[in-house]
Amino acid sequence: MAAVEAGQVPATSAPEDAARDAPEAVGAGPEAPLLPAGNRLSLHLYPGGCRRLLRLCAQQAPQLLEVDFLQLSGHEDPQLLEATLARLPWSLPHLRSLVLKGGQRRDALGACLRGSLTTLPTSLSGLAHLAHLDLSFNSLETLPACVPQMCGLDALLLSRNCLSELPAALGALPSLTFLAVTHNRLRTLPPALGALSSLQRLDLSGNLLEALPAEIGGLGSLAELNLASNRLQSLPGSFAGLRALRLCILHSNLLASVPASLARLPLLTRLDLRDNQLRDVPPELLDAPFVRLQGNPLGRPPPDPPSPPGTPMLPEMPRLLLTSDLDSFAVTPQGCSVTLACGVRLQFPAGATAAPVTVHYRQWLPEPRLVPLGPHDTLLSGVLELQPHGVAFQQEVGLWLLFVPPRARRCREVVVRTLSDSSWSDLETHLEEEVPQAGAARAVWEGPALLRPAGPDRVLPHQRLWAHCQVPHFSWFLVVARPVSDACLVPPEGALLCSSGHAGVRVTFPAGATEEPRHVRMQVTRFSWYWLWYTTKTCVGGLARKAWERLRLHRVNLIALQRRRDPEQVLLQCLPRNKVDATLRRLLERYRGPEPSDTVEMFEGEKFFAAFERGIDIDADRPDCVEGRVCFVFYSHLKNLKEVYVTTALDRRARAVRGQVSFYRGEVPEVVPEEAEAARQKRGTAALWMATLPIKLPRLRGCEGPARGAGLSLAPLNLGDAETGFLTQSNLLNVARRLGPDWPAVALHLGLPYRELQRIRHEFRDDLDGQIRHMLFSWAERQAGQPGAVGRLVQALEQSDRRDVAEEVRAVLELGRHKYQEGLRHTSLAPRNLASPDQSPSPSPEPAQT
């Protein structure tokens, strides 16, 4: 591994001045990043990466002459980035791959932000060996003039920029084999694109292309072509010249016809024509197994002919097909038809808005706070949010939500549920079925959206349906299946209410049943104990409530298993008796331990806790752990599982430690019996003790510990400070257990070189947990005494899309700060006393520290 020492930058040229005058970035140390084996220099993860590179260039380090891969962040200061790139032809003459991607930063909603790169210095054309250039996710509006002059370029990536056109000079790149310009604003392509005789892969998806030049047929080496999500209405006949084409993706366009010559391409293995306007397809393509045609109006009659001359023409309603990266669209008074990437359709009639409105949408996963369901309701879709909330339209907007019907359909109806004025209500909903056979029309069910049983003229179980409704304003929307509801107005003269789902269910209201007219609603459901509890919990008490509590009593077994490769990791679980055998068969490949406990009875929602005894204690500071006892709440439909790390104060070098874990009912009391034998006599349901299972920590061989952990130091450490909070060894162990296969990404974002990751994988090749713990603790030991280490860990977790673990770390820090402040108040210590030079801040706020 070659390393370059970075020193002070002399003020000799403009790039060095920019590096010297720019403020020091947070986390940028005095040393430049190491150059790993393989001559790769990745500075996009380092704050101030351009400044670090300029320091290396100023020192004229000989290792830079061997670098062939460079990656910088597109979020650098534009002037500093341009000054850095201007030095590359002289400082990195053998550079073959240059990556200047944006997208590493996100906004408040989690969307990736574009980089600040808008152009490139002309001197970059002097990189004679450059073969790979990645400018994705930036703010380029025109292609830099130096790019067409890079004659040795093999791959060019320009995705997710703001390009509206490509220059004709791009056709002068003789070695180009891969070109990606996805999700830009291209409307046309230059004819010179056909001169790229070596081009093998071309990706132009997510643009605004309406037509293709005939010269595209000159791409004789093209093997993969992606033109999805554009506005193409036809294909040129020169497509027959693409003799090397293997993959052609044309879905989500406006194609009304395709040339029959596509079926005669000798190497074509996949042709994707989904979601177009194809009404007639050549027979050669219709029968080909590699062609996908779903979502086309095949066999349907053409639209009405145009009106005769002199008839006033109505403007055609625009049609929008949104890709997955778009989260908003504009609606004008002309109206439009919109199809979202998630499959939702919206129909804005003309005059729905008096002025242009920008509509934002988002698809949420079902959450309890967003999904209000009754005792017999079933959620059939995700939650769609349309903004701005509460904006009223002058005409109702059509909304179509796609869903899969439930298996149980008898006496069920489908409704679209929405939030209006802080309360949820159901909209009048109709079901529409899209029959997949060619030539079949759409069947629309008018009236209530009832689900019929499957039959020859009904919907099959695997078919999807549309829930169609009219919405007056925007809010949250979801599809729900509920029991059929029937309502009527009951006058004093009496009435008869019949169920539309059950013909034999009728309710007769005799004359005089009510003194004034009342609205009555009826739902017929199947009997269930949950329904009995739901309907009586608020109005019936006493014996009914006690009976219900007895009805939800479960017979369960308790298990305590230790991981085979790491006996200090203990799995605790409470399972219904009928699930124990299957769970043990699945767990015993990785765990071992005693037989499950005897069967005990436990109520649904009952609290209990586990206490480790006889020299064993929990090695963690967990929110669900009170004084070393792990708290549980039993629910029969959940796993009721927790994994903890245990430790012991006894000497394991002399002999193994034989301890135990006992399970007790209720919340953690102030005093727990030290010996469980005294409670064994009480077998009734009111007894505190439930079960005791043995736990054994094996004897350590010598002083080196287990063989697999020989290279892993788990010495006590504290990351952080009193102001920002501390992370202890136990906290890091909890983080390590949650990372799983994502640990390499976290390691790279923490700044570990790739070569060290390879070494860890080799040293712990059969132990994933060992890989994670070794990486995390070796990094933590190197951070000793350095400020900001905890913040860098949280940032690395977020950049690796592990926000769940990052939130847990924040919660631990907040708990530590709270305990620290409580300790200050408890011991009457002023902050200035703790900050004195001869007294280091302690992460523990116990009074004994004073």
Side-chain angles (χ1 to χ4, degrees):
M1 178 178 294
V4 180
E5 295 292 336
Q8 297 298 326
V9 183
T12 58
S13 61
E16 286 81 357
D17 292 339
R20 181 195 61 189
D21 298 335
E24 188 68 24
V26 177
E31 292 187 0
L34 299 178
L35 302 180
N39 302 324
R40 298 169 61 91
L41 186 55
S42 299
L43 299 177
H44 64 295
L45 299 178
Y46 291 85
C50 288
R51 188 176 300 105
R52 290 170 175 257
L53 182 57
L54 285 175
R55 290 175 180 172
L56 295 177
C57 295
Q59 290 183 346
Q60 299 181 358
Q63 290 86 347
L64 291 181
L65 300 177
E66 302 176 2
V67 173
D68 58 11
F69 174 87
L70 174 64
Q71 184 169 2
L72 294 171
S73 172
H75 297 285
E76 296 277 358
D77 179 77
Q79 296 181 355
L80 184 60
L81 181 60
E82 184 176 0
T84 305
L85 296 177
R87 290 291 303 270
L88 296 185
W90 295 275
S91 301
L92 285 77
H94 298 92
L95 193 65
R96 291 184 52 81
S97 178
L98 178 59
V99 180
L100 301 172
K101 293 176 59 176
Q104 288 90 3
R105 299 179 182 176
R106 299 177 180 268
D107 59 12
L109 298 178
C112 295
L113 297 176
R114 297 182 185 272
S116 58
L117 187 67
T118 58
T119 185
L120 294 177
T122 56
S123 60
L124 279 185
S125 59
L127 293 173
H129 300 280
L130 192 66
H132 173 265
L133 180 60
D134 189 350
L135 304 176
S136 303
F137 236 120
N138 280 291
S139 304
L140 296 175
E141 296 184 357
T142 58
L143 189 67
C146 62
V147 174
Q149 301 176 15
M150 300 176 180
C151 299
L153 209 57
D154 177 78
L156 178 59
L157 290 81
L158 302 169
S159 300
R160 300 185 184 276
N161 277 278
C162 305
L163 298 173
S164 57
E165 61 179 0
L166 295 176
L170 196 62
L173 296 176
S175 304
L176 194 65
T177 62
F178 176 46
L179 176 61
V181 201
T182 67
H183 298 92
N184 277 268
R185 304 170 183 174
L186 299 179
R187 295 184 178 273
T188 59
L189 295 178
L193 196 65
L196 298 174
S197 57
S198 301
L199 193 63
Q200 299 177 9
R201 298 167 59 195
L202 177 60
D203 192 348
L204 299 172
S205 59
N207 281 283
L208 306 174
L209 297 175
E210 298 180 355
L212 300 176
E215 288 78 5
I216 198 173
L219 301 175
S221 302
L222 192 63
E224 298 181 9
L225 176 62
N226 190 345
L227 294 168
S229 301
N230 278 280
R231 300 179 180 179
L232 297 176
Q233 301 181 16
S234 62
L235 299 177
S238 60
F239 254 61
L242 303 177
R243 308 297 294 176
L245 195 62
R246 297 176 179 271
L247 173 65
C248 185
I249 301 178
L250 296 166
H251 69 77
S252 303
N253 277 281
L254 303 175
L255 294 174
S257 62
V258 292
S261 58
L262 286 178
R264 294 189 288 273
L265 295 178
L267 302 180
L268 191 63
T269 59
R270 180 184 174 188
L271 177 60
D272 193 343
L273 296 171
R274 295 173 299 161
D275 297 324
N276 278 279
Q277 299 297 317
L278 298 174
R279 300 181 182 275
D280 189 14
V281 177
E284 300 92 330
L285 293 178
L286 191 60
D287 301 330
F290 58 85
V291 181
R292 304 181 69 179
L293 295 168
Q294 292 88 344
N296 284 281
L298 297 175
R300 296 184 186 176
D304 297 334
S307 304
T311 304
M313 298 292 294
L314 295 176
E316 183 181 358
M317 179 176 294
R319 176 187 176 190
L320 301 178
L321 299 174
L322 302 185
T323 56
S324 58
D325 64 319
L326 299 178
D327 60 354
S328 64
F329 56 91
V331 179
T332 64
Q334 184 182 354
C336 63
S337 175
V338 183
T339 301
L340 307 183
C342 56
V344 177
R345 293 161 44 202
L346 294 163
Q347 185 82 25
F348 293 87
T353 61
V357 176
T358 300
V359 178
H360 297 266
Y361 72 91
R362 184 172 182 180
Q363 189 85 3
W364 293 85
L365 294 176
E367 297 182 8
R369 65 183 182 89
L370 293 178
V371 183
L373 298 177
H376 298 282
D377 294 347
T378 303
L379 183 65
L380 302 180
S381 72
V383 182
L384 175 68
E385 181 185 8
L386 296 175
Q387 295 180 345
H389 294 167
V391 172
F393 294 97
Q394 299 182 8
Q395 297 188 31
E396 292 187 336
V397 175
L399 174 64
W400 285 263
L401 295 173
L402 199 61
F403 71 96
V404 177
R407 294 180 178 272
R409 303 184 180 183
R410 183 173 179 82
C411 305
R412 308 286 286 178
E413 62 180 345
V414 173
V415 293
V416 175
R417 189 162 294 175
T418 183
L419 181 63
S420 178
D421 297 332
S422 302
S423 62
W424 290 86
S425 59
D426 296 338
L427 301 175
E428 182 180 355
T429 307
H430 305 279
L431 298 187
E432 297 185 3
E433 170 195 359
E434 184 77 30
V435 184
Q437 289 80 5
R442 174 178 295 164
V444 181
W445 299 342
E446 298 293 344
L450 300 179
L451 286 173
R452 278 78 165 184
D457 58 343
R458 298 301 181 196
V459 181
L460 298 178
H462 63 275
Q463 286 183 293
R464 297 192 299 179
L465 301 176
W466 293 98
H468 174 214
C469 64
Q470 300 291 329
V471 297
H473 58 81
F474 279 168
S475 181
W476 283 274
F477 302 92
L478 58 149
V479 182
V480 174
R482 69 180 188 186
V484 176
S485 177
D486 299 284
C488 73
L489 180 64
V490 179
E493 294 80 9
L496 176 64
L497 178 59
C498 301
S499 172
S500 58
H502 292 267
V505 176
R506 300 180 181 181
V507 178
T508 302
F509 296 91
T514 176
E515 297 180 356
E516 57 184 13
R518 293 181 179 271
H519 289 276
V520 177
R521 185 170 64 92
M522 176 179 64
Q523 286 182 328
V524 181
T525 64
R526 297 181 61 184
F527 176 77
S528 67
W529 291 114
Y530 180 77
W531 171 84
L532 175 62
W533 168 78
Y534 183 84
T535 54
T536 60
K537 69 172 184 176
T538 57
C539 56
V540 178
L543 294 177
R545 181 173 298 276
K546 293 181 180 179
W548 164 243
E549 290 179 352
R550 295 298 302 177
L551 286 174
R552 60 175 185 159
L553 188 65
H554 297 271
R555 299 176 65 84
V556 300
N557 297 94
L558 301 160
I559 62 176
L561 303 176
Q562 294 175 263
R563 197 173 185 90
R564 293 181 181 272
R565 290 199 300 261
D566 188 2
E568 296 179 354
Q569 184 176 354
V570 180
L571 179 147
L572 306 175
Q573 191 169 12
C574 177
L575 287 170
R577 186 173 56 179
N578 60 333
K579 299 181 181 180
V580 172
D581 293 338
T583 302
L584 288 179
R585 284 195 299 268
R586 176 174 53 85
L587 291 177
L588 287 181
E589 296 181 0
R590 296 171 295 155
Y591 296 85
R592 61 185 175 188
E595 293 293 325
S597 70
D598 295 336
T599 302
V600 296
E601 292 183 339
M602 188 170 293
F603 292 117
E604 186 84 9
E606 183 177 354
K607 295 182 180 180
F608 65 101
F609 64 92
F612 289 90
E613 302 164 344
R614 292 187 176 180
I616 296 181
D617 196 4
I618 298 178
D619 186 17
D621 187 7
R622 300 164 55 102
D624 58 351
C625 182
V626 180
E627 297 182 359
R629 295 143 196 169
V630 185
C631 305
F632 290 82
V633 179
F634 172 75
Y635 291 103
S636 58
H637 62 283
L638 299 180
K639 293 184 178 180
N640 308 297
L641 179 147
K642 293 185 180 182
E643 288 190 80
V644 298
Y645 272 85
V646 297
T647 185
T648 179
L650 304 178
D651 187 6
R652 293 174 56 189
R653 292 173 296 181
R655 60 180 179 178
V657 177
R658 300 180 182 274
Q660 64 186 23
V661 57
S662 297
F663 296 88
Y664 300 89
R665 297 182 185 275
E667 298 182 355
V668 178
E670 296 182 358
V671 179
V672 175
E674 297 183 358
E675 297 295 334
E677 288 77 5
R680 293 181 186 272
Q681 308 297 329
K682 303 178 182 180
R683 293 288 182 174
T685 58
L688 178 66
W689 173 86
M690 291 190 296
T692 296
L693 299 173
I695 297 293
K696 177 183 177 181
L697 295 180
R699 182 171 66 91
L700 298 180
R701 304 297 179 180
C703 299
E704 70 277 7
R708 176 55 62 190
L712 176 62
S713 175
L714 295 182
L717 53 89
N718 289 306
L719 289 179
D721 50 58
E723 298 297 330
T724 61
F726 287 93
L727 286 184
T728 64
Q729 172 189 349
S730 302
N731 302 140
L732 288 182
L733 286 174
N734 292 334
V735 173
R737 288 198 301 271
R738 297 293 305 278
L739 290 184
D742 297 328
W743 75 268
V746 177
L748 291 175
H749 285 99
L750 285 175
L752 272 69
Y754 186 75
R755 185 175 181 179
E756 183 173 350
L757 265 66
Q758 293 293 86
R759 180 184 62 79
I760 295 175
R761 284 195 180 103
H762 177 74
E763 184 176 351
F764 299 86
R765 51 188 174 274
D766 297 328
D767 186 3
L768 177 62
D769 295 335
Q771 295 175 4
I772 301 172
R773 292 200 299 270
H774 188 92
M775 178 276 296
L776 200 56
F777 276 87
S778 60
W779 171 84
E781 290 176 359
R782 290 195 295 268
Q783 304 301 313
Q786 296 187 14
V790 177
R792 287 193 292 274
L793 176 60
V794 174
Q795 183 179 7
L797 292 171
E798 291 180 339
Q799 292 175 344
S800 305
D801 291 333
R802 291 309 304 267
R803 294 182 178 83
D804 55 338
V805 184
E807 290 299 328
E808 291 184 4
V809 174
R810 287 196 180 96
V812 171
L813 295 176
E814 183 63 27
L815 178 62
R817 285 193 293 266
H818 178 70
K819 289 184 176 180
Y820 179 73
Q821 295 171 0
E822 289 292 332
L824 290 180
R825 290 193 294 267
H826 215 263
T827 58
S828 301
L829 286 177
R832 53 184 176 86
N833 294 337
L834 291 179
S836 60
D838 57 343
Q839 184 178 1
S840 60
S842 173
S844 176
E846 299 296 332
Q849 299 286 335
T850 59

